[in-house]
Amino acid sequence: MRSLQLLRVTVLFAIAVLATAQVAEAQDQAVDQQASWPVLVSYSLPKDHLTLHEPVVLVFTAANKTRYPIQLDLGQDRQGQFSFAVVDPNGTRHQLPLYLREGLSDPGIFSVEPGHTYSQKLVLNQWYSFSVPGRYELEGHLARPIVIGGGIGQQTDRGFRFTLDIGPRDEAALTETCESLVKEIEGPDGQDAADAALALSYVDDPLAEPYLRSVLFKRSELEPVLLKGLGRIGDGRSVSSLAEAAASDDDEVKEWAIMALYDIGQRTNDPQVREEINRILANP
Amino acid sequence: MPDSLKDGGARPAEEIALLIYRTQIYIPRSWYSRYTILEIVIEKYYSGSNMKKNSEYRDLFPGALELMVLRSLSRTPMHGYALAQQIKYVSDALPRMIMEDDSGTMHHLRAVHGIPVDWTQLSAADIGNGTLRFEYAWASSTGPGHLADLATCRIGEKVSYNGITTKKYSYPSPPFAVQSWPNPGYRNMPAAGGRGEDDQLIKQPFVTPYISFTIPATQYFRYECAGDSHYTYLAGPNLILKSVAQHPDGSWYYLVTKSGSSATIDPLP
């Protein structure tokens, strides 16, 4: 009797061991299958309904589900290889030129290790102004293929197509957006701050001027982009902030402040502002 | 959990705070209490309570693992395995730290900083549409593979239009499209990537009636570290010439040259 029970226990134990081994093998296969997945590229609009003059932000994500490192070539300043097209509210399609600027820049080629995800924000106002309310169709893709494992494979980005509704100008919404961006600029994460500064600089509305001014000298690396934002707004209130920046010891800050002042001086109809700018530029 | 973390003996709070301060890493106070997850990771990497047994992070500094754990958790809650993966990922990107002996008993931590050196032109090419592209590379003075030591440095260019004294230079139009550039102009970027591209562009369309004209500019490459706006020159001067000229057969072309390389649009429309 006892030997029969022992036999049963032994058989049950053997079954359990086999079952465990099979489960482990199945898990291994699942892991292996997952390891051979391609790169998951996705795009998203954090807000698909905006009001006029709010920045249009697109999030690009590439998740490396392969078992190899992948190489992304995002182009100049990690933006130069994104190809975008916009259908405006009148139904006209605009194929937008690739981002390209003069001078020294980050080549935008880098690796993402297996299992890791790369993500970045793109402020689409750099490519298109979205200057009227209405419904827009957005299309885009990464123009360069993603190289897998140093060249053993390639993957082409299929891109995205979104609808974006831009409502009439809304001061409350603009204020909320500006306040939120200022919080990010003042926050601890340098990349979040840089993304927020770029977005704030494209709030092409006089309402943004005090927000730009409030964070202008908070982070030295963000000063050029914020100065460009002040220059884009270009009202008289921007001049005092720009004058302060034009006296900076940092050559790059001084350059952007002066260029912004030049631009405002050419656009303004206010003789006092023009005179003030001429005085600053005569001896910055 | 290692005793040193329980009682704070070998890694006092002041030292962690110093690390956080010097590496400019922000860690919300709420994450400091996640010792359950700390235990998982520390047990995994330290194989017991003696932190000196750690092999993977031996070349870092005391407290490095704790710092990376806290830094990782400051972004999002993670389970042990994900956290371990994240730590492995970020450890390459953290600035290296060295021990600095002070009065024989106290050890202070000091980040290793380098400066950009070995500026090298990798390539030059006409990439079409009148754009001349150069690829450059540089290294850290702290040695090969230590580009992260340039974390506090920016590298950039200074371009001046020769013989022009105004702060804003407008290209003559015709033959060039209407455009203005700061004079001198500056572009800076983070140095830790170790690579940069310099694109010499031309805004189009060109404006008729064409006339022969050459715009000369001088370019220097330079860097600054620690945000002190004190620039050191790495390379230059490079003479950049952007010209519109006429062939003997009467057709017009655009040519940009720099460092013995060129790009062209020939003929102009």
Side-chain angles (χ1 to χ4, degrees):
Chain A
M1 190 64 172
R2 185 173 290 174
S3 61
L4 189 59
Q5 284 177 335
L6 188 63
L7 181 64
R8 279 180 182 159
V9 169
T10 306
V11 168
L12 285 172
F13 178 74
I15 290 170
V17 168
L18 280 172
T20 305
Q22 282 178 338
V23 168
E25 189 180 348
Q27 284 175 341
D28 286 346
Q29 285 173 353
V31 170
D32 190 51
Q33 187 182 7
Q34 186 176 341
S36 64
W37 282 355
V39 184
L40 299 181
V41 177
S42 63
Y43 297 83
S44 62
L45 287 172
K47 294 168 78 175
D48 62 2
H49 188 101
L50 299 169
T51 62
L52 193 64
H53 299 161
E54 282 189 86
V56 180
V57 177
L58 179 75
V59 179
F60 164 79
T61 302
N64 184 2
K65 300 292 185 184
T66 75
R67 69 180 75 178
Y68 309 103
I70 59 169
Q71 181 177 281
L72 294 176
D73 181 356
L74 305 186
Q76 191 181 57
D77 293 335
R78 300 197 175 194
Q79 302 186 108
Q81 289 300 330
F82 287 100
S83 175
F84 297 118
V86 172
V87 179
D88 69 21
N90 294 325
T92 306
R93 189 174 194 279
H94 307 271
Q95 180 62 51
L96 307 176
L98 296 180
Y99 171 96
L100 191 61
R101 68 165 176 81
E102 177 106 327
L104 193 67
S105 62
D106 175 357
I109 301 172
F110 58 96
S111 294
V112 179
E113 293 299 310
H116 288 97
T117 297
Y118 174 78
S119 185
Q120 77 173 54
K121 291 178 180 172
L122 296 158
V123 179
L124 295 185
N125 306 68
Q126 293 177 103
W127 286 264
Y128 189 79
S129 63
F130 300 97
S131 57
V132 296
R135 172 161 289 189
Y136 292 85
E137 299 290 336
L138 309 177
E139 299 170 19
H141 68 277
L142 186 57
R144 290 272 171 85
I146 297 166
V147 178
I148 300 169
I152 61 171
Q154 283 196 345
Q155 185 178 320
T156 304
D157 175 25
R158 286 179 293 182
F160 71 91
R161 184 167 191 165
F162 294 133
T163 297
L164 171 68
D165 288 314
I166 296 184
R169 182 175 183 272
D170 180 336
E171 287 202 359
L174 277 173
T175 300
E176 189 180 335
T177 296
C178 290
E179 286 176 350
S180 169
L181 292 171
V182 163
K183 272 184 190 166
E184 287 189 64
I185 292 168
E186 292 175 333
D189 189 297
Q191 188 58 52
D192 286 349
D195 291 341
L198 184 62
L200 183 62
S201 78
Y202 275 95
V203 178
D204 192 8
D205 193 293
L207 186 144
E209 191 274 339
Y211 295 99
L212 284 164
R213 188 156 34 87
S214 73
V215 290
L216 183 55
F217 299 111
K218 290 283 171 68
R219 288 173 180 263
S220 61
E221 72 274 20
L222 303 182
E223 287 168 0
V225 77
L226 296 167
L227 288 165
K228 286 185 223 177
L230 283 169
R232 272 190 286 273
I233 293 173
D235 67 358
R237 290 188 299 169
S238 309
V239 172
S240 59
S241 301
L242 291 167
E244 191 179 342
S248 167
D249 292 334
D250 186 315
D251 292 336
E252 195 178 10
V253 169
K254 181 181 281 191
E255 168 208 321
W256 287 112
I258 289 172
M259 287 299 285
L261 286 167
Y262 267 117
D263 290 342
I264 294 172
Q266 286 176 349
R267 290 201 307 267
T268 186
N269 295 319
D270 186 334
Q272 279 189 318
V273 169
R274 191 176 295 122
E275 189 179 331
E276 173 68 3
I277 288 173
N278 287 339
R279 189 188 61 76
I280 296 164
L281 294 178
N283 188 23
Chain B
M1 186 175 191
D3 289 342
S4 56
L5 269 186
K6 283 177 182 167
D7 61 18
R11 258 145 303 282
E14 293 85 350
E15 192 168 303
I16 296 289
L18 183 67
L19 277 169
I20 292 165
Y21 172 75
R22 293 200 171 176
T23 51
Q24 304 248 319
I25 294 168
Y26 173 81
I27 298 169
R29 291 187 66 82
S30 58
W31 295 113
Y32 281 72
S33 60
R34 291 185 171 268
Y35 283 112
T36 303
I37 299 172
L38 275 175
E39 284 174 7
I40 294 169
V41 177
I42 290 167
E43 288 300 323
K44 179 177 175 63
Y45 279 95
Y46 286 95
S47 303
S49 61
N50 186 352
M51 300 186 102
K52 290 180 180 175
K53 284 182 180 174
N54 171 11
S55 59
E56 189 162 6
Y57 297 109
R58 190 180 295 153
D59 61 335
L60 290 175
F61 49 89
L65 181 62
E66 294 91 323
L67 187 62
M68 285 189 278
V69 168
L70 293 168
R71 185 177 188 235
S72 299
L73 288 171
S74 72
R75 293 176 177 149
T76 183
M78 294 179 184
H79 58 72
Y81 179 73
L83 187 54
Q85 293 293 307
Q86 175 68 10
I87 287 167
K88 188 169 170 52
Y89 181 61
V90 302
S91 62
D92 291 338
L94 280 175
R96 290 181 307 131
M97 309 287 282
I98 59 171
M99 298 292 290
E100 194 173 56
D101 199 9
D102 181 11
S103 74
T105 51
M106 283 290 290
H107 287 282
H108 289 274
L109 295 160
R110 181 166 66 82
V112 178
H113 294 302
I115 57 170
V117 293
D118 299 336
W119 177 270
T120 307
Q121 180 183 315
L122 299 177
S123 66
D126 178 347
I127 63 166
N129 211 28
T131 299
L132 180 58
R133 171 169 292 175
F134 293 84
E135 291 184 319
Y136 296 103
W138 55 89
S140 169
S141 58
T142 52
H146 292 311
L147 283 168
D149 295 343
L150 303 178
T152 64
C153 300
R154 293 192 303 165
I155 203 159
E157 63 172 340
K158 175 183 178 181
V159 176
S160 305
Y161 291 93
N162 298 0
I164 296 158
T165 55
T166 57
K167 298 180 183 69
K168 182 179 178 184
Y169 175 59
S170 299
Y171 281 24
S173 181
F176 297 98
V178 173
Q179 58 193 297
S180 297
W181 295 93
N183 182 35
Y186 306 93
R187 290 286 186 285
N188 292 321
M189 57 179 272
R195 293 223 172 183
E197 284 179 353
D198 174 35
D199 285 339
Q200 294 300 322
L201 309 178
I202 190 68
K203 188 178 177 183
Q204 297 179 54
F206 289 87
V207 178
T208 56
Y210 297 136
I211 58 168
S212 291
F213 200 96
T214 296
I215 298 171
T218 302
Q219 178 188 49
Y220 290 89
F221 292 107
R222 57 191 201 154
Y223 69 86
E224 62 106 20
C225 296
D228 60 3
S229 296
H230 175 74
Y231 288 90
T232 303
Y233 285 87
L234 267 173
N238 301 320
L239 181 63
I240 304 167
L241 298 172
K242 294 182 176 178
S243 305
V244 169
Q246 193 170 28
H247 286 300
D249 67 3
S251 63
W252 293 86
Y253 65 95
Y254 165 76
L255 182 71
V256 53
T257 62
K258 189 189 106 172
S259 304
S261 299
S262 64
T264 187
I265 303 173
D266 188 7
L268 288 177

